[in-house]
């Protein structure tokens, strides 16, 4: 009898423990940030990169400046845009959201984020006239909702051609430069591909793993990508698909793309002589153990690279808006922007900060062509990033299907692009 | 009089025991099914309130080639994964029934993949089956196959890959255990009778083993079919995310994407209703075929 | 006459058993060989995970792939464990497992009891409904559940994942029922004569002797929740609430290259994730098989 009672009391204790931990998990949510009795405020901040808050300078410095505000980082590496939407709907979105370009307008229209004009008027940390032209224009276009500013750009990024200098030297091929056309690119890739029997031991260029590159190619070949809020993909896309197909299946200088996510960065692994990637790869490639550098993307009819940024926005349901602004203000100040530049090697969108070059970080083996940023920024457009990422990503799956021999180019242009447009229309 | 009171008390007692399940049925199973049906007749993206649109979602569905593709893919996947799972489980169980020493060790190795989280297995399969860098194509090059397929990116070769992956699932491991224990319960006299007639291993298997465990085989097939509708997500999402080119876009994946990525609740609910109907039909069909293994107490 | 015959018979039997022995050793060798080959096949992915967990990121892209890397990077494991997220994910998985297992053990046993033991009106119908609901995949009910939990304000907590287990999962009810049916009714009846009511019979008599099935269902539930991906993916967003399955999907990305996973660390994490279930299996092996047996289905 006693044993049984003991059994049940242990059981009850375990049950109690379980329920308390479960409910503790409930109370631990980021529905709204907490403020404890000693006046400390916890601010939740979301972004898409994996960061350790204790090792991240901009978080540490901010917390030093405002000791009563603690930053809680919400890291969402996959499906960022969709997750934020989900959190806004569920009422659990963070105080400060680093929003994608495609989302800011929608969030503003739905009242999910607050206008920042009243804060901007009072601040001295930065100047609205200091932004690079593309960003200023984007800001203006986003002001469609009542002429207000809803987000401030955290930095900006674009896309580059990276190349392995050692492989180029070995093959006797001159380095890429800003005059390179698609033909030059193809010719170099052919010379840089090394085969051993039926195996390719060195690829001329890696497959496309970042969707932006596809759109930059179509843009370079003449399409506008986005015009009046609608997809503009016609002949440019056709040329891009034909060219990439040529590289992959005819010249065989580029491997086939992988579905379900990339397995390896062949360029970083020393298996591919070139790659086209986001400009933020200068951070990761700093660890490369071969000599490398970068150049603007090869052009067809014109120079075109997609521009990327993210906007600091304040959740309108936040309970700590004053603190949220303090964080954004800090991040947009020279100090914050410099720290960000050093962290990510992305230039600031504020011209004065960019000029100081804190984003330039040369590793042991490169790069040195930092002016690639300037050369590219002039031709950079915010193109596909203004549209729903689910749709633009799915479309890239269709592009890759052409390379895998599963679809015809005409099908993509005549069926998939209009279908994507339809999905975009429904979104409204 | 007393008897009537007794049964009334019995009924009350029984239903009080059953009460948690009844609540659960209303809140988490039955209720949701009804809500799903209602939602499927609306258009809603979680902002504002649902808008009734009748059967528009369904007509959109049947006109959409992507849906018909999902349907086809789901059926193919279910058939392949169930067949492979059951066959692999039976094969492993037969092996474990050998009268050898160290059976426990072998059982450990055969069951361990079942307890690995499927995301983990998905990762290693991605590495193993990578066209350029994977070990599978490397091993194939030893037996002279140099133009090995792009396993994960080819809409045909993805199926053998998925079939291979089905062997390493929890469902297979669980069925293996069930088969293993039921094999041990086959009456030895039946085997002895067979041996006296001079039968070899294969004949024994076909004429004695299979018939004896046929109820178990049927049960496992039903369980495997139902669980494949769930586990299709856990296996396919991390491995291919519906690719290549929607070749593995099973219904469970499609429902997830429509509901939680595109936030089209109405359409996703309609898909869910269709899936439910399919499962119900398949289950009913299998029940009809297996009247000899389930007893309802009156 | 007889001795010759018996000796002839003896030698025949001896001959036969010799043949059987010979056949035996030959077959045995074949059996071992088959068992070993299959074991290598089954264990290969796990060996491969281990092998990759000791490589550098670029080492994974090496071709031809090496089984044993030249410089095993044991530091990968250290880095994974030092990552503050790993332990959080582990804690969360454990919370889900314990919560669900406790809930399902209690509720499934309670609900199975009347189905196994009592004659009451509607018993057949109830049991049929339970079997039918066993067939409903989670995917079909997830959307309304999402909306329901949103109403409660339970999104992004553990509650949607644990509370339903307290309301009886049909499969476990089925297993409990089958087990209870193997316990002789006489025990119940003698207790009733002694004046116990149904609840007392359940708690004081049936439960204590049902240890095997409790362990079986408990272990099955634990393994299931160690592996569950779909429901946490829908309900949980916060980093500090993610269980291992979701954390593993995305936690080891190369910084600044968000679509590239740090595979070597991912594999190290995978090995770490594999160990608890393996240990659980070793301990619970006997019970698992016994539990399966009594779920007999040869009703």
């Amino acid at each position: 009898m006693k044993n049984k009672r003991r059994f049940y009391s242990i059981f009850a204790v375990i049950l109690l423990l379980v329920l308390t931990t479960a409910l503790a998990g409930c109370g631990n949510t980021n529905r709204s940030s907490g403020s404890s009795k000693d006046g400390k405020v916890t601010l939740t901040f979301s972004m898409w990169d994996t960061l350790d808050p204790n090792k991240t300078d901009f978080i540490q410095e901010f917390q030093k400046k405002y000791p009563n505000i603690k930053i809680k980082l919400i890291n969402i590496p996959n499906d960022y845009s969709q997750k934020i939407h989900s959190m806004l709907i569920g009422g659990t979105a963070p105080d400060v959201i680093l929003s994608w370009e495609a989302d800011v307008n929608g969030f503003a229209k739905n009242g999910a984020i607050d206008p920042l004009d009243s804060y901007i008027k009072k601040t001295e940390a930065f100047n609205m006239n200091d932004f690079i032209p593309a960003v200023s224009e984007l800001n203006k276009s986003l002001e469609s909702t009542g002429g207000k500013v809803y987000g401030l750009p955290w930095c900006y990024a674009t896309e580059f051609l990276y190349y392995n200098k050692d492989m180029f030297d070995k093959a006797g091929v001159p380095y890429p430069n800003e005059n390179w056309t698609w033909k030059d690119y193809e010719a170099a890739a052919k010379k840089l591909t090394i085969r051993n029997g039926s195996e390719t031991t060195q690829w001329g260029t890696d497959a496309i793993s970042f969707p932006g590159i596809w759109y930059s190619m179509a843009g370079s070949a003449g399409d506008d990508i986005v015009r009046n809020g609608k997809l503009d993909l016609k002949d440019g896309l056709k040329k891009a698909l034909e060219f990439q197909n040529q590289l992959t299946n005819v010249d065989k200088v580029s491997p086939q793309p992988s579905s379900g996510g990339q397995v390896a960065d062949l360029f970083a692994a020393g298996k591919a002589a070139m790659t086209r990637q986001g400009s933020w790869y200068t951070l990761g490639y700093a660890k490369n153990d071969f000599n490398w550098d970068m150049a603007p993307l090869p052009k067809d009819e014109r120079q075109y690279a997609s521009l990327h940024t993210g906007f600091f926005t304040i959740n309108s349901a936040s309970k700590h808006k004053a603190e949220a602004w303090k964080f954004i203000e800090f991040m947009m100040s020279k100090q914050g922007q410099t720290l960000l530049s050093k962290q990510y090697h992305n230039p600031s969108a504020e011209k004065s900060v960019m000029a100081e070059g804190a984003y330039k970080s040369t590793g042991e083996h490169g790069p040195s062509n930092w002016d690639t940023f300037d050369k590219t920024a002039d031709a950079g457009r915010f193109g596909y990033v203004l549209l729903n990422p689910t749709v633009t990503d799915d479309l890239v799956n269709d592009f890759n299907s052409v390379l895998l021999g599963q679809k015809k180019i005409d099908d993509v242009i005549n069926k998939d692009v209009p279908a994507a447009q339809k999905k975009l229309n429904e979104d409204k | 009089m007393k008897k009537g009171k007794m049964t009334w008390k019995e009924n009350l007692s029984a239903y009080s025991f059953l009460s948690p399940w009844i609540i659960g049925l209303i809140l988490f199973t039955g209720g949701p099914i009804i809500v799903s049906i209602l939602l499927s007749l609306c258009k809603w993206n979680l902002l504002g309130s649902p808008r009734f649109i009748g059967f528009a979602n369904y007509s959109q569905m049947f006109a959409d080639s992507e849906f018909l593709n999902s349907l086809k893919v789901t059926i193919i996947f279910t058939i392949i994964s169930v067949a492979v799972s059951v066959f692999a489980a039976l094969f492993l169980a037969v092996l474990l029934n050998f009268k050898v020493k160290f059976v426990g060790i072998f059982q450990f190795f055969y069951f361990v993949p079942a307890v690995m989280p499927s995301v983990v297995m998905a990762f290693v399969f991605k590495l193993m089956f990578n066209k350029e860098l994977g070990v599978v194509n490397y091993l194939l090059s030893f037996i002279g196959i140099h133009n090995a397929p792009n396993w994960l990116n080819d809409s045909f070769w993805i199926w053998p890959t998925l079939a291979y992956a089905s062997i390493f699932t929890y469902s297979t491991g669980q069925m293996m255990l069930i088969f293993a224990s039921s094999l041990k319960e086959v009456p030895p006299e039946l085997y002895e009778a067979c041996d006296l007639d001079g039968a070899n291993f294969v004949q024994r298997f076909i004429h004695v083993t299979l018939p004896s465990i046929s109820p178990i085989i049927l049960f496992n097939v039903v369980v495997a079919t139902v669980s494949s509708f769930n586990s299709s997500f856990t296996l396919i999402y991390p491995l291919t995310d519906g690719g290549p080119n929607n070749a593995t876009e099973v219904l469970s994946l499609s429902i997830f994407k429509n509901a939680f990525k595109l936030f089209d609740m109405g359409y996703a609910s309609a898909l869910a209703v269709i899936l439910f109907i399919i499962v119900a039909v398949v289950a009913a069909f299998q029940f009809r075929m297996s009247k000899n293994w389930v007893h309802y107490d009156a | 006459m007889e001795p010759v015959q018996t000796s002839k018979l003896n030698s025949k039997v001896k001959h036969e058993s010799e043949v059987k022995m010979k056949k035996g050793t030959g077959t045995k060798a074949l059996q071992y060989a088959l068992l070993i080959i299959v074991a290598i096949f089954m264990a290969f992915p796990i060996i491969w995970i281990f092998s990759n967990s000791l490589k550098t990121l670029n080492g994974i892209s090496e071709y031809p792939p090496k089984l044993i890397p030249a410089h095993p990077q044991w530091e990968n494991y250290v880095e994974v464990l030092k990552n503050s997220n790993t332990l959080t994910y582990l804690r969360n998985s454990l919370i889900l497992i314990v919560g669900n297992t406790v809930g399902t053990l209690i509720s499934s046993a309670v609900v199975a009891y009347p189905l196994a033991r009592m004659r009451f009106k509607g018993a057949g119908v109830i049991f049929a409904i339970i079997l039918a609901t066993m067939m409903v995949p989670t995917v079909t009910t997830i959307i309304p559940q999402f909306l329901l939990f949103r109403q409660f304000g339970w999104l992004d907590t553990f509650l949607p994942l644990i509370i339903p287990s307290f309301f009886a999962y049909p499969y476990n009810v089925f297993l409990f029922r089958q087990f209870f049916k193997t316990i002789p009714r006489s025990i119940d009846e003698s207790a009733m004569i002694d004046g116990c009511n149904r609840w007392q019979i359940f708690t004081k008599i049936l439960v204590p002797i049902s240890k095997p099935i409790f362990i079986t269902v408990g272990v099955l539930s634990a393994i299931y929740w160690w592996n569950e991906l779909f429901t946490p993916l829908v309900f949980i967003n916060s980093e500090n609430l993610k269980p291992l399955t979701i954390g593993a999907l995305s936690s080891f990305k190369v910084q600044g290259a968000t679509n590239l996973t740090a595979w070597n660390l991912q594999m190290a994490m995978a090995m770490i994730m594999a160990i608890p279930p393996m240990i659980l299996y070793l301990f619970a092996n006997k019970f698992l098989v016994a539990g399966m047996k009594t779920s007999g289905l040869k009703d």
Side-chain angles (χ1 to χ4, degrees):
Chain A
M1 240 350 207
K2 221 176 176 188
N3 277 344
K4 284 192 191 117
R5 195 167 289 162
R6 263 219 355 230
F7 173 70
Y8 286 118
S9 44
I10 297 178
F11 196 65
V13 169
I14 296 180
L15 190 59
L16 213 61
L17 272 174
V18 165
L19 283 173
T20 25
T21 19
L23 292 168
C26 168
N28 232 350
T29 59
N30 305 291
R31 195 187 321 234
S32 60
S33 29
S35 38
S36 47
K37 296 214 168 70
D38 56 0
K40 261 195 156 212
V41 171
T42 307
L43 213 55
T44 46
F45 167 56
S46 70
M47 61 174 301
W48 51 82
D49 203 5
T50 311
L51 284 176
D52 187 340
N54 296 330
K55 297 201 193 121
T56 306
D57 286 338
F58 65 82
I59 294 184
Q60 293 299 311
E61 292 297 317
F62 173 75
Q63 288 178 160
K64 261 192 231 156
K65 185 163 181 185
Y66 294 99
N68 66 321
I69 310 181
K70 187 160 161 14
I71 300 279
K72 187 169 183 165
L73 188 60
I74 315 278
N75 158 237
I76 307 173
N78 286 339
D79 302 325
Y80 185 79
S81 170
Q82 295 93 342
K83 273 283 165 166
I84 294 287
H85 270 94
S86 182
M87 289 167 87
L88 281 170
I89 287 167
T92 56
D95 299 300
V96 178
I97 308 173
L98 194 59
S99 299
W100 281 13
E101 313 89 318
D103 292 329
V104 179
N105 243 355
F107 289 165
K109 280 210 191 97
N110 285 324
I113 55 178
D114 278 350
L116 302 174
D117 303 81
S118 49
Y119 300 110
I120 295 177
K121 270 197 206 116
K122 294 187 226 152
T123 188
E124 289 179 352
F126 61 92
N127 192 326
M128 287 302 281
N129 295 325
D130 193 21
F131 289 117
I132 61 174
V135 170
S136 282
E137 266 172 50
L138 185 62
N139 261 339
K140 285 211 189 74
S141 75
L142 291 179
E143 287 167 22
S144 58
T145 28
K148 298 201 173 105
V149 176
Y150 281 85
L152 292 166
W154 72 311
C155 64
Y156 80 94
T158 177
E159 295 149 7
F160 291 158
L161 174 70
Y162 297 92
Y163 58 97
N164 183 322
K165 284 160 95 166
D166 296 337
M167 288 181 185
F168 270 74
D169 292 337
K170 218 174 176 181
V173 179
Y175 298 152
N177 56 47
E178 69 259 31
N179 296 317
W180 260 32
T181 63
W182 285 9
K183 285 255 170 310
D184 299 322
Y185 177 54
E186 184 183 5
K190 280 192 194 160
K191 293 205 192 110
L192 289 158
T193 304
I194 302 177
R195 273 184 259 275
N196 185 352
S198 60
E199 259 173 55
T200 309
T201 50
Q202 181 177 302
W203 294 96
T205 179
D206 201 352
I208 299 179
S209 61
F210 181 62
I213 305 290
W214 277 107
Y215 291 106
S216 294
M217 274 212 292
S220 179
D223 284 339
D224 274 339
I225 315 295
V226 177
R227 209 197 296 172
N228 300 330
K230 285 206 195 299
L231 272 178
D232 178 61
L233 293 167
K234 297 184 299 278
D235 295 324
L237 179 60
K238 191 160 186 210
K239 273 185 168 183
L241 285 168
E242 282 165 357
F243 179 63
Q244 191 65 25
N245 190 42
Q246 175 87 6
L247 291 177
T248 310
N249 295 317
V250 178
D251 300 336
K252 301 216 173 134
V253 299
S254 182
Q256 289 195 326
S258 13
S259 87
Q262 207 190 357
V263 168
D265 183 331
L266 293 177
F267 177 74
K271 292 260 156 51
M274 297 186 278
T275 185
R276 291 169 291 175
Q277 278 290 12
S279 59
W280 52 90
Y281 271 76
T282 54
L283 177 63
Y285 289 164
K287 296 201 196 86
N288 288 346
D289 54 7
F290 49 85
N291 294 310
W292 63 281
D293 219 316
M294 54 217 196
L297 291 178
K299 61 186 172 192
D300 182 54
E301 283 178 22
R302 57 178 178 174
Q303 195 82 284
Y304 185 108
S306 308
L307 282 183
H308 303 268
T309 183
F311 288 92
F312 284 112
T313 58
I314 300 185
N315 184 352
S316 50
S318 166
K319 301 209 167 60
H320 303 280
K321 293 189 193 178
E323 287 82 1
W325 172 251
K326 287 212 179 81
F327 179 59
I328 297 182
E329 185 185 34
F330 174 78
M331 294 309 288
M332 296 308 296
S333 72
K334 186 153 160 185
Q335 186 187 7
Q337 286 286 296
T338 312
L339 289 170
L340 266 181
S341 299
K342 288 212 185 108
Q343 178 90 25
Y344 282 102
H345 299 199
N346 283 332
S348 166
E350 294 171 36
K351 291 186 281 206
S352 56
V353 181
M354 180 168 96
E356 300 209 349
Y359 64 97
K360 300 180 189 176
S361 174
T362 302
E364 216 181 300
H365 300 281
S368 52
N369 297 341
W370 289 102
D371 55 359
T372 315
F373 265 109
D374 303 307
K375 292 184 190 148
T376 310
D378 289 336
R381 322 272 167 94
F382 285 108
Y384 81 102
V385 298
L386 297 172
L387 300 173
N388 184 322
T390 310
V391 176
T392 47
D393 281 351
D394 274 348
L395 210 47
V396 168
N397 282 338
D398 295 323
F399 302 160
N400 283 331
S401 300
V402 171
L403 300 182
L404 295 168
Q406 292 156 356
K407 266 193 182 203
K408 293 209 170 44
I409 295 181
D410 288 324
D411 284 339
V412 173
I413 310 251
N414 297 327
K415 287 202 197 120
D416 294 318
V417 173
Q421 183 60 55
K422 222 172 138 214
K423 279 197 205 138
L424 287 171
N425 294 338
E426 270 171 32
D427 216 24
K428 314 228 155 80
Chain B
M1 248 322 238
K2 242 190 195 167
K3 203 174 172 196
K5 215 177 171 186
M6 217 343 220
T7 17
W8 183 86
K9 231 179 150 196
E10 269 291 86
N11 281 344
L12 186 66
S13 180
Y15 278 98
S16 48
F17 272 97
L18 290 175
S19 51
W21 173 75
I22 295 178
I23 300 176
L25 182 70
I26 299 174
L27 280 180
F28 303 123
T29 325
I33 293 178
I34 299 178
V35 171
S36 268
I37 299 178
L38 292 174
L39 263 185
S40 70
L41 302 172
C42 301
K43 190 164 179 71
W44 195 29
N45 66 348
L46 290 183
L47 300 168
S49 34
R51 195 164 51 99
F52 184 75
I53 56 170
F55 286 102
N57 280 327
Y58 290 97
S59 43
Q60 183 190 345
M61 217 196 302
F62 285 102
D64 187 4
S65 60
E66 266 181 37
F67 166 70
L68 298 171
N69 177 58
S70 276
L71 212 51
K72 182 183 76 163
V73 162
T74 309
I75 294 175
I76 297 179
F77 176 76
T78 309
I79 296 177
I80 291 184
S81 80
V82 170
V84 168
S85 285
V86 174
F87 181 76
L90 187 56
F91 179 72
L92 292 172
V94 165
L95 252 54
L96 289 175
N97 206 27
F98 286 163
K99 312 236 175 329
V100 295
K101 286 192 272 186
F102 311 126
V103 169
I105 299 184
F106 288 114
Q107 187 169 316
F108 177 76
F109 279 111
Y110 293 175
F111 190 70
V112 148
V115 301
M116 300 285 285
S118 67
V119 286
V120 163
M121 297 307 271
F123 289 147
V124 79
F125 292 147
K126 271 209 229 182
L127 278 182
M128 279 168 59
F129 285 94
N130 185 287
K131 179 174 179 8
E132 309 296 331
L133 308 170
V135 67
V136 169
N137 285 355
Y138 176 60
L139 293 175
L140 284 178
S141 68
F142 282 136
I143 56 175
I145 301 179
H146 287 290
N147 210 7
N150 194 348
W151 298 97
L152 294 168
N153 285 313
D154 188 296
S155 37
F156 174 74
W157 290 107
I158 187 69
W159 291 110
T161 318
L162 284 179
Y164 173 81
S166 300
I167 300 176
F168 297 91
T169 56
Y170 176 65
S171 167
T172 310
Q174 187 185 19
M175 286 196 286
M176 176 186 84
L177 291 180
I178 296 183
F179 276 136
S181 72
S182 64
L183 281 175
K184 291 194 177 57
E185 289 172 13
V186 177
E189 310 89 63
L190 292 177
Y191 284 130
E192 281 165 23
C194 218
D195 281 340
L196 283 176
D197 286 343
N200 65 20
F201 181 74
V202 177
Q203 287 168 318
R204 259 172 44 147
F205 190 71
I206 299 181
H207 295 289
V208 177
T209 319
L210 280 185
S212 306
I213 62 170
S214 59
I216 314 291
I217 298 183
L218 229 28
F219 175 77
N220 273 340
V221 169
V222 176
V223 168
T225 310
V226 173
S227 90
S228 119
F229 287 107
N230 263 345
S231 67
S232 57
F233 183 85
T234 328
L235 184 63
I236 294 184
Y237 180 71
L239 191 59
T240 64
D241 197 20
N245 191 29
N246 292 340
T248 59
E249 183 91 358
V250 287
L251 269 179
S252 52
L253 207 55
S254 188
I255 294 174
F256 179 76
K257 284 186 183 175
N258 274 292
F260 300 108
K261 286 208 189 176
L262 296 173
F263 294 106
D264 193 347
M265 293 295 160
Y267 190 70
S269 298
L271 289 172
V273 169
I274 297 287
L275 182 63
F276 174 62
I277 294 176
I278 294 178
V279 176
V281 166
V282 167
F285 178 71
Q286 285 174 330
F287 262 122
R288 284 270 130 196
M289 304 273 281
S290 63
K291 272 207 164 134
N292 53 335
W293 63 265
V294 138
H295 284 229
Y296 295 133
D297 274 2
Chain C
M1 278 296 252
E2 274 187 6
V4 177
Q5 273 188 336
T6 12
S7 69
K8 242 198 184 160
L9 191 65
N10 277 345
S11 64
K12 187 171 182 213
V13 170
K14 206 170 162 209
H15 181 71
E16 261 183 12
S17 62
E18 264 177 17
V19 169
K20 230 187 187 171
M21 273 254 284
K22 243 206 217 155
K23 212 177 161 197
T25 9
T27 335
K28 281 257 178 300
L30 255 170
Q31 290 178 334
Y32 272 113
L34 197 54
L35 278 166
I36 294 177
I37 295 177
V38 172
I40 296 179
F41 178 81
M42 292 300 283
F44 183 75
I46 302 175
I47 298 174
W48 199 240
I49 294 177
F50 184 60
S51 159
N52 276 302
S53 68
L54 294 174
K55 295 184 185 168
T56 62
L57 184 54
N58 285 334
I60 292 182
S61 315
E62 229 181 274
Y63 191 85
K66 286 207 194 101
L67 184 61
I68 305 173
H71 305 284
Q73 308 274 315
W74 296 101
E75 311 91 72
N76 287 343
Y77 283 94
V78 177
E79 197 174 326
V80 168
L81 288 170
K82 270 210 295 192
N83 186 338
S84 46
N85 284 330
T86 313
L87 291 177
T88 314
Y89 298 149
L90 181 65
R91 180 205 71 173
N92 295 331
S93 279
L94 286 177
I95 293 179
L96 286 181
I97 288 177
V98 171
N100 269 286
T101 306
V102 167
T104 198
L105 285 178
I106 299 176
S107 62
S108 306
V110 165
V111 171
Y113 177 57
L115 295 169
R117 272 305 194 246
M118 313 204 302
R119 285 180 247 274
F120 59 95
K121 201 161 179 200
V125 173
I126 300 263
F127 189 56
I129 298 181
I130 290 185
L131 283 181
T133 49
M134 214 155 88
M135 308 287 156
V136 177
T138 332
V139 187
T140 35
T141 52
I142 195 73
I143 298 175
Q145 280 186 13
F146 178 76
L147 298 171
L148 179 72
F149 292 122
R150 187 171 82 128
Q151 275 305 97
F152 289 171
W154 286 1
L155 285 186
D156 211 18
T157 68
F158 290 128
L159 294 169
L161 299 168
I162 297 185
I163 299 290
S165 70
F166 281 87
F167 294 92
Y169 284 132
Y171 186 71
N172 295 333
V173 170
F174 185 72
L175 288 179
F176 269 108
R177 174 190 182 267
Q178 298 302 102
F179 184 85
F180 285 159
K181 279 182 99 61
T182 64
I183 298 176
R185 263 213 152 97
S186 45
I187 298 183
D188 282 40
E189 278 154 21
S190 50
M192 277 211 281
I193 294 175
D194 282 349
C196 292
N197 67 22
R198 281 296 186 184
W199 177 251
Q200 286 167 321
I201 299 177
F202 176 69
T203 51
K204 294 196 168 98
I205 299 179
L206 217 51
V207 167
I209 62 175
S210 302
K211 262 223 293 250
I213 191 64
F214 272 97
I215 296 182
T216 306
V217 172
V219 170
L220 289 177
S221 165
I223 297 180
Y224 178 82
W225 279 96
W226 186 255
N227 194 6
E228 174 66 357
L229 174 66
F230 184 63
T231 33
L233 195 59
V234 170
F235 290 118
I236 291 187
N237 288 318
S238 304
E239 191 66 16
N240 64 332
L241 296 178
K242 288 183 186 171
L244 277 172
T245 37
I246 302 190
L249 268 184
S250 54
S251 54
F252 294 104
K253 300 258 175 185
V254 175
Q255 198 194 64
T258 39
N259 63 333
L260 189 60
T261 321
W263 286 103
N264 50 345
L265 298 177
Q266 196 82 69
M267 292 291 133
M269 176 152 187
M271 278 313 290
I272 296 176
M273 270 175 88
I275 293 174
M278 281 200 229
I279 297 179
L280 185 64
Y281 171 79
L282 284 174
F283 276 127
N285 186 15
K286 284 179 275 213
F287 296 105
L288 270 182
V289 179
M292 296 289 180
K293 219 205 299 212
T294 18
S295 78
L297 318 157
K298 290 233 179 153
D299 240 1

